[in-house]
């Protein structure tokens, strides 16, 4: 496995809470997937805001690892935080974000994205590491 890029982001949960209070559902729909919103809305208080803030930080960290920020067609809505059955967070990239990811990966390799998120009010933090591994043929 070869490390290609990394990105980190530290987010003030109070800022996310303020944006949600100000713009409400319009902001949530523009930035977060249905699954991300459902996960956050299943919580209350700091846990709810923390769920949103961690996912915001993950999207920011991913855009940094991609080397684009939120430009070149890469948007928050094209970066989705999901959880594996084990509970481990992971990222799924779509559209321009996926296209950019694939430009970073050497031929004959496939991307692998590691995501770590945490929060300690009033902050949320995320780290994204993009690596590649050779594609293996199954016999």
């Amino acid at each position: 496995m070869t490390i290609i890029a990394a990105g980190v982001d530290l987010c003030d949960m109070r800022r996310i809470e303020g944006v949600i209070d100000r713009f409400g559902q319009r902001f949530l729909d523009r930035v977060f997937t249905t699954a991300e919103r459902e996960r956050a809305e299943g919580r209350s208080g700091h846990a709810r805001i923390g769920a949103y803030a961690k996912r915001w930080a993950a999207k920011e960290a991913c855009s940094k690892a991609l080397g684009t920020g939120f430009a070149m067609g890469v948007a928050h809505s094209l970066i989705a935080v999901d959880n594996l059955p084990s509970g481990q967070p992971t990222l799924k990239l779509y559209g321009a974000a996926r296209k950019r990811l694939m430009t970073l990966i050497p031929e004959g390799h496939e991307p692998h994205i590691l995501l770590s998120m945490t929060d300690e009010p009033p902050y949320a933090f995320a780290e994204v590491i993009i690596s590649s591994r050779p594609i293996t043929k199954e016999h």
Side-chain angles (χ1 to χ4, degrees):
M1 196 173 302
T2 303
I3 294 177
I4 304 292
V8 300
D9 190 69
L10 180 67
C11 173
D12 189 325
M13 293 167 60
R14 297 167 294 195
R15 182 172 150 245
I16 298 301
E17 185 173 32
V19 173
I20 292 170
D21 288 346
R22 183 170 178 197
F23 296 104
Q25 200 62 44
R26 188 175 74 179
F27 167 74
L28 296 175
D29 290 344
R30 185 174 58 89
V31 173
F32 301 101
T33 66
T34 300
E36 289 169 331
R37 292 190 310 270
E38 287 173 356
R39 187 171 186 92
E41 293 302 324
R43 295 173 165 85
S44 61
H46 283 300
R48 176 180 171 266
I49 296 303
Y52 282 123
K54 286 186 289 191
R55 281 153 182 77
W56 173 273
K59 292 166 188 267
E60 292 279 340
C62 182
S63 75
K64 293 171 185 176
L66 291 172
T68 59
F70 289 105
M72 299 174 56
V74 176
H76 289 90
S77 61
L78 299 176
I79 301 169
V81 178
D82 196 10
N83 291 84
L84 300 174
S86 66
Q88 177 185 353
T90 188
L91 290 172
K92 293 182 179 176
L93 278 58
Y94 302 95
R98 177 82 181 165
K99 184 176 178 181
R100 173 62 182 168
L101 171 66
M102 296 313 291
T103 68
L104 300 174
I105 305 303
E107 190 173 328
H109 286 69
E110 62 185 357
H112 182 69
I113 301 175
L114 292 171
L115 169 61
S116 182
M117 304 183 298
T118 190
D119 65 353
E120 181 64 39
Y123 299 106
F125 176 83
E127 177 179 36
V128 171
I129 299 172
I130 298 173
S131 63
S132 70
R133 55 185 171 203
I135 297 172
T136 58
K137 294 183 181 181
E138 306 265 337
H139 294 277

